[in-house]
């Protein structure tokens, strides 16, 4: 049940991949009628698996006990990017509330398939005898039902895509938050080691000063540096704690941030840059918000069709009624329709047409944004990857070499212990730069994934 | 040795026929030598001397670690050839640098001639820069003085210039570049120029030449830094820093002459001899009359000067001969270190070793042991000083050498230490000696100093320089 695109949307008609995804989704879409809660998310899960490479856990809502056990088990081990996706899908209440949007849309589909109940009326007059009766059923609703159902299903498809988009963004944000948190922990560790070196320098300065070989000025400078390095540690501690809480919120779990177990270090660079020329096309095919915008055009077009077809016939019912004439009961059918004298449906049609034009414009704007976002994230990723490579291949080994060479100079008594500790601190500072570049690289990757709407090929 | 007079209006052919070396009057330059310059013969009357020969006219000097510049005699003129060129020079074992010098060495080979000789010195420039050579202290025509731009055009790279003059004095002189002196002398373009007297009352048994210079070569660097003005860290006798300096071998009761030259950029040197007093007999300006000579044990040799010292080596043993400026007997000593004397080394180690496992506190009781610690140091650098001697480590470097005076000189004595006769060696005092002489050593009130060696932890793996 591929939605028919309007002419204006045809130019952005998705190619095979999206058709396949939509097809898969629509096959899985419940046709109509009430569903057990929980199954509504299946199409979303399918969309996510293709995009995150993580099999979505199949327990939500009713299986909350099982889910919470499983979350606990995952939190007991150091979090990996994949575990972060699973935990978020299982535990994040914001996602559960998002999924209910699908439930609402499904209810609308069911509602669209239902007929209004027939109206029965009985009139009784003063003699206390039954005088009149009638049973009326809206025949217009009966005519409108197939179209109305189709509109509601189109809306359900739109909602499903919007929800899947929001969920994909949420799990990718959670991966980003993990990278931030691990980087903050590593930075904290480096700041502590820098502090240790600065304090060793200050301790040595105090010992040298104590025996009369050092100026008060130099001792004060060393102490100032040690105190500054301690201040840097305090700042890094705050940042690490805050980023742990940001990760807690991204996961949607109910544990204190300091209980989260993290990997010891950020993952290394993930290989070569993706082929850039195919990426914009990939994004156009994969972005769920773009698919949702197309689906919105489809739903709005159906709404216009429905509105214009029943423009003059907003309502109308068939009735069967009877009346007691003395002892005789006179019976017969009746028809009632509103005469389109004043309300000829023009406002309803105008509204539906405006909504359609709005949906088209939104989709056009979005596709332009998508293309630019892909280029932007690609530029960021490229720069971050080259920067991290520079640190890995040159800055770090050179800084280590500087420390080694300084140690040799110290051994030959060409320089003193303070120069040696300063070299060590410069090496730690380079490590800090490397961690930041690696963190920026991973965050740029997740940004690119969000811009593409799927995994980087 | 023959000298003969010519009439002042001698014609050239007559001279050549006589078979003697001919010197045109015009080539004599100034009519008279500087009044104070040392001279043993009369240069006034157009006297022409046959070239002086080693062994017959003079005893050649000894240039420890150096060489003599060979010459050939062409038509009565001594012809020398100096080649200015870049070279690799070793200051001491383990310390080599890219220097500039003459004929593959720095200092260049010692030029030796005799008063009255006519010398012709070709200078070929194989340097990447123009150069010139100044004959320091020698009296000669202005155009032969070698000052680039003033007395001659610079010698371009690749060119060969000819210097020619008659030596009208004797003494200890030097030669060095006189173009871009700051760079070219800092890189080693210098040498000694010895002129022996034509007539000598008494020749010394041993005649040594020591030229001092100073360099800036950072540990691990490969080229002297000519921009340095103050912090020279390699100080040399004949281009060598101890233990690279060859000892001066002397037989007991020899009459020894030591000619000291100084072409350091910025440092005068106080050269101190152990075990003997010596006498300043000559400067580069001439011979000091005997009554005016100074007995010394330490002779100041200012920059750009030579000082000739003589003594009878009557005291057998191994004697230090060195510059008495303390920092001139260190090699590659850094001056930017921290004074660690008296610091609690163990406490510093405890603070620093967790961060730098190969760290070890040094210098808390001085630096006498630094050279023998065997810590890994930068490539192409030396420990600050020293080598192993007969009684432990000799913690000297730089301008330090050993004068070995022996009753008999045997092959291999250079490498043998003096064995002092009984009773002539300082040793720990025995208790009975202390008691006999009433020496009471109070037990020290303060605790003994902490051991100064804190070997790095066993995990210490020095990085191999790549």
């Amino acid at each position: 049940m591929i939605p028919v695109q309007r002419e204006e949307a045809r130019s952005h008609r998705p190619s095979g991949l999206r058709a396949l995804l939509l097809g898969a989704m629509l096959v899985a879409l419940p046709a109509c009628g009430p569903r057990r809660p929980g199954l509504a998310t299946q199409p979303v899960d399918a969309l996510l698996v293709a995009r995150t490479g993580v099999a979505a856990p199949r327990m939500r809502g009713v299986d909350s006990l099982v889910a919470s056990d499983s979350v606990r088990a995952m939190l007991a081990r150091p979090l990996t990017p994949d575990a972060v996706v699973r935990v978020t899908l299982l535990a994040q209440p914001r996602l559960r509330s998002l999924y209910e949007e699908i439930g609402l849309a499904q209810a609308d589909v069911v509602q669209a398939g239902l007929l209004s109940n027939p109206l029965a009326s009985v009139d009784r007059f003063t003699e206390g005898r039954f005088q009149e009766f009638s049973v009326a059923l809206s025949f217009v609703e009966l005519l409108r039902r197939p179209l109305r159902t189709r509109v509601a299903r189109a809306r359900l498809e739109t909602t499903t895509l919007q929800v899947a988009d929001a969920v994909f963004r949420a799990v990718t944000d959670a991966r980003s938050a993990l990278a931030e948190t691990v980087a903050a922990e590593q930075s904290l560790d480096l700041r502590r080691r820098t502090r240790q070196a600065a304090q060793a320098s200050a301790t040595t300065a105090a010992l040298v000063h104590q025996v009369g070989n050092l100026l008060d000025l130099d001792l004060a400078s060393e102490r100032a540096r040690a105190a500054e390095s301690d201040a840097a540690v305090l700042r890094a501690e705050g940042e690490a704690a805050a980023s742990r809480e940001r990760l807690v919120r991204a996961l949607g779990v109910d544990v204190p941030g300091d209980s989260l177990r993290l990997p010891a270090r950020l993952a290394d660079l993930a290989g070569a840059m993706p082929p850039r020329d195919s990426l914009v096309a990939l994004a156009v095919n994969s972005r769920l918000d773009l698919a949702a915008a197309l689906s919105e055009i489809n739903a709005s077009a159906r709404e216009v069709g429905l509105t214009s077809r029943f423009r003059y016939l907003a309502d109308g019912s068939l009735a069967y009624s009877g009346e007691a004439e003395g002892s005789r009961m006179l019976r017969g059918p009746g028809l009632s329709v509103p005469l389109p004298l004043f309300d000829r449906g023009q406002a309803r049609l105008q509204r539906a047409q405006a909504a359609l034009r709005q949906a088209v414009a939104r989709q056009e704007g979005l596709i332009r944004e998508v293309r630019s976002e892909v280029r932007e994230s690609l530029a960021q990723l490229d720069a971050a990857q080259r920067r991290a490579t520079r640190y890995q291949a040159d800055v770090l080994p050179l800084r280590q070499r500087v420390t080694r060479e300084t140690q040799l100079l110290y051994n030959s008594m060409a320089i003193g212990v303070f120069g040696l500790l300063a070299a060590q601190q410069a090496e730690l500072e380079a490590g800090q730069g490397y961690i930041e570049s690696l963190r920026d690289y991973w965050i740029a990757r997740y940004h690119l994934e969000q811009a593409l709407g799927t995994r980087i090929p | 040795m023959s000298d003969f007079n010519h009439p002042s209006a001698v014609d050239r052919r007559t001279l050549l026929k006589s078979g003697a070396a001919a010197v045109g009057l015009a080539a004599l330059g100034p009519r008279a030598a500087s009044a104070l310059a040392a001279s043993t013969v009369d240069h006034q009357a157009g006297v022409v001397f046959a070239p002086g020969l080693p062994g017959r006219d003079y005893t050649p000097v000894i240039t420890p670690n150096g060489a003599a510049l060979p010459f050939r005699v062409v038509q009565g003129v001594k012809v020398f050839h100096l080649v200015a060129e870049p070279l690799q020079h070793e200051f001491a074992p383990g310390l080599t640098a890219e220097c500039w010098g003459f004929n593959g060495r720095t200092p260049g080979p010692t030029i030796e001639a005799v008063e009255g000789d006519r010398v012709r010195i070709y200078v070929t420039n194989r340097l990447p820069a123009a150069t010139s050579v100044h004959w320091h202290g020698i009296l000669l025509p202005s155009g032969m003085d070698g000052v680039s731009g003033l007395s001659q055009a610079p010698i371009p790279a690749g060119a060969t210039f000819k210097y020619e003059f008659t030596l009208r004095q004797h003494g200890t002189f030097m030669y060095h570049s006189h173009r871009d002196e700051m760079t070219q002398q800092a890189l080693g373009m210098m040498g000694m120029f010895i002129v022996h007297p034509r007539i000598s009352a008494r020749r010394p048994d041993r005649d040594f030449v020591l030229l001092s210079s100073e360099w800036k070569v950072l540990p691990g660097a490969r080229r002297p830094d000519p921009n340095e003005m103050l912090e020279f860290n390699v100080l040399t006798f004949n281009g060598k820093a101890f233990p690279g300096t060859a000892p001066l071998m002397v037989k007991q009761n020899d009459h020894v002459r030591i000619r000291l030259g100084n072409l350091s950029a910025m440092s005068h040197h106080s050269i101190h001899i152990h075990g003997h007093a010596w006498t300043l007999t000559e400067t580069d300006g001439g011979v000091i009359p005997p009554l005016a000579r100074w007995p010394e044990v330490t002779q100041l040799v200012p920059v750009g000067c030579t000082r000739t010292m003589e003594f009878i080596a009557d005291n057998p043993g191994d004697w230090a001969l060195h510059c008495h400026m303390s920092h001139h007997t260190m090699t590659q000593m850094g001056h930017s270190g921290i004074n660690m004397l008296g610091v609690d080394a163990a406490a510093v180690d405890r603070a620093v070793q967790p961060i730098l496992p190969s760290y070890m506190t040094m210098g808390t009781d001085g630096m006498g042991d630094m050279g023998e610690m065997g810590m890994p140091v930068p490539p192409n650098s030396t420990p600050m000083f020293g080598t192993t001697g007969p009684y432990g480590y000799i913690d000297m470097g730089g301008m330090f050498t050993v004068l070995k005076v022996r009753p008999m000189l045997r092959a291999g004595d250079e490498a043998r230490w003096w064995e002092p006769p009984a009773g002539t060696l300082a040793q720990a005092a025995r208790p009975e000696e202390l008691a006999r002489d009433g020496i009471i050593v109070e037990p020290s009130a303060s605790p003994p100093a902490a051991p100064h060696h804190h070997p790095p932890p066993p995990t210490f793996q020095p990085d191999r320089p790549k």
Side-chain angles (χ1 to χ4, degrees), chain B residues 34-280:
Chain B
S34 164
L36 290 174
S39 176
T40 55
V41 289
D42 179 12
H43 296 277
Q44 303 280 341
V47 179
V48 178
F49 298 92
L53 296 177
R56 188 189 72 181
D57 297 315
Y58 63 93
T59 305
V61 296
I62 300 162
T63 311
N65 303 103
L69 185 64
F71 63 87
R72 69 161 59 97
V73 177
V74 180
Q75 295 173 343
V77 177
K78 276 188 183 172
V79 178
F80 298 87
H81 186 195
L82 282 175
V83 180
E85 59 191 349
L87 57 112
Q88 284 227 331
H89 174 71
E90 185 189 73
F91 295 106
L95 176 58
T96 300
E98 309 283 340
C99 296
W100 290 0
F102 295 96
N103 302 48
R105 53 194 331 130
T106 176
T110 302
I111 299 175
E112 237 176 321
V114 178
E115 186 188 351
D117 281 350
R118 178 86 177 158
V119 296
R120 185 179 299 143
I121 307 173
Y122 289 97
V123 178
T124 297
N125 181 6
R126 289 206 192 125
L127 298 171
T131 190
S132 74
V133 180
H134 166 59
W135 317 100
H136 184 113
I138 293 176
L139 305 165
L140 37 58
S142 175
M144 291 292 167
D145 198 37
V147 180
S148 166
L150 174 66
S151 37
Q152 65 166 88
I155 308 171
T160 300
F161 271 40
K162 183 189 71 160
Y163 293 88
E164 185 166 337
F165 43 88
T166 300
L167 298 166
R168 294 178 293 103
Q169 65 196 122
H170 68 85
T172 304
F173 309 108
M174 304 185 283
Y175 66 92
H176 61 81
S177 156
H178 218 299
R179 182 179 186 279
D180 188 14
E181 277 194 54
M182 181 189 93
T183 303
Q184 301 195 355
Q185 288 195 59
L187 288 169
M189 293 195 59
M190 57 186 67
M192 294 295 277
F193 195 136
I194 309 300
V195 184
H196 293 279
R198 178 62 56 170
I199 299 164
S200 175
R202 178 170 170 239
R203 294 186 205 160
D205 302 301
R206 311 289 275 172
D207 194 342
F208 295 103
V209 173
L210 291 178
L211 175 57
S212 306
S213 50
E214 61 186 355
W215 319 71
K216 171 66 172 282
V217 186
L218 289 171
R222 282 194 305 115
R223 202 179 296 274
D225 179 1
N227 302 309
E228 185 54 54
M229 283 178 68
L230 298 170
E231 291 206 355
F232 297 95
N233 62 352
V234 178
L235 291 107
T236 55
F237 281 139
N238 293 342
K240 295 290 177 178
F242 188 77
T245 49
L248 276 52
M249 304 305 296
V250 170
K251 191 165 155 295
Q252 192 172 348
N253 294 320
D254 270 355
H255 171 196
V256 181
R257 176 185 286 155
I258 301 182
R259 304 170 188 253
L260 304 167
N262 182 7
L263 283 174
S264 301
M266 305 292 289
S267 298
H268 311 309
H269 297 298
S270 296
I271 309 298
H272 173 53
I273 189 168
H274 287 235
H276 301 81
W278 54 9
T279 300
L280 172 60

Side-chain angles (χ1 to χ4, degrees), chain A residues 204 207-209 211 213, chain B residues 339-346 348 361 363-365:
Chain A
T204 305
L207 290 162
V208 177
H209 180 267
V211 296
N213 302 358
Chain B
N339 178 7
M340 296 297 281
L341 266 182
V343 175
D344 181 347
V348 177
T361 301
T364 53
D365 61 348

Side-chain angles (χ1 to χ4, degrees), chain A residues 200 211 213 404 410-411 413-414, chain B residues 336 339 341-342 360 376 463 466:
Chain A
V211 296
N213 302 358
R404 283 203 306 273
Y410 169 82
N411 292 350
M413 294 200 86
Chain B
S336 51
N339 178 7
L341 266 182
M360 141 185 170
D463 283 298
K466 292 177 188 67

Side-chain angles (χ1 to χ4, degrees), chain A residues 196-197 200 203-204 207-208 211 213-214 401 403-404 407-418 420-421 424, chain B residues 219 334 336-343 347-348 351-352 354-356 358-362 370 375-378 463 466:
Chain A
Q196 193 186 17
T203 304
T204 305
L207 290 162
V208 177
V211 296
N213 302 358
L214 201 68
R401 177 81 194 268
T403 306
R404 283 203 306 273
Q407 174 79 58
L408 293 177
L409 272 189
Y410 169 82
N411 292 350
S412 64
M413 294 200 86
I415 59 158
V417 59
F418 299 119
L420 184 55
L421 287 164
Q424 175 68 15
Chain B
S336 51
I338 300 293
N339 178 7
M340 296 297 281
L341 266 182
V343 175
V348 177
V352 179
I355 301 139
L356 292 160
S358 39
Y359 169 83
M360 141 185 170
T361 301
M362 298 188 285
M370 294 326 311
M375 302 278 287
V377 293
D463 283 298
K466 292 177 188 67

Side-chain angles (χ1 to χ4, degrees), chain A residues 5 234 242 255 274 293 318 329:
Chain A
Q5 304 300 328
L234 296 173
V255 298
L318 291 168
M329 179 64 78

Side-chain angles (χ1 to χ4, degrees), chain B residues 300-330:
Chain B
L300 177 68
V301 187
V303 172
C305 293
T306 71
R307 295 287 181 264
T308 301
M309 315 303 296
E310 296 187 27
F311 61 99
I312 303 299
D314 55 4
N315 194 356
D318 285 344
W319 304 107
L321 175 69
H322 62 94
C323 178
H324 215 287
M325 307 246 184
S326 325
H327 285 260
H328 292 184
T329 53
M330 310 278 279

Side-chain angles (χ1 to χ4, degrees), chain A residues 79-82 84 172-184 243 247 250 261-263 266 446:
Chain A
L79 286 166
T80 62
D82 286 359
V84 160
T172 312
D173 283 343
R175 282 178 163 180
S176 256
L178 176 67
E180 295 251 16
T181 310
V182 175
S243 72
L247 179 57
R261 300 198 55 199
L262 299 169
L266 286 166
Y446 295 132

Side-chain angles (χ1 to χ4, degrees), chain A residues 90-106:
Chain A
L90 284 174
Q92 180 56 275
R94 271 190 298 115
L95 293 195
R96 290 211 302 278
S97 110
L98 265 176
Y99 282 117
E100 292 310 328
E101 292 287 332
I102 299 175
L104 301 180
Q106 280 176 324

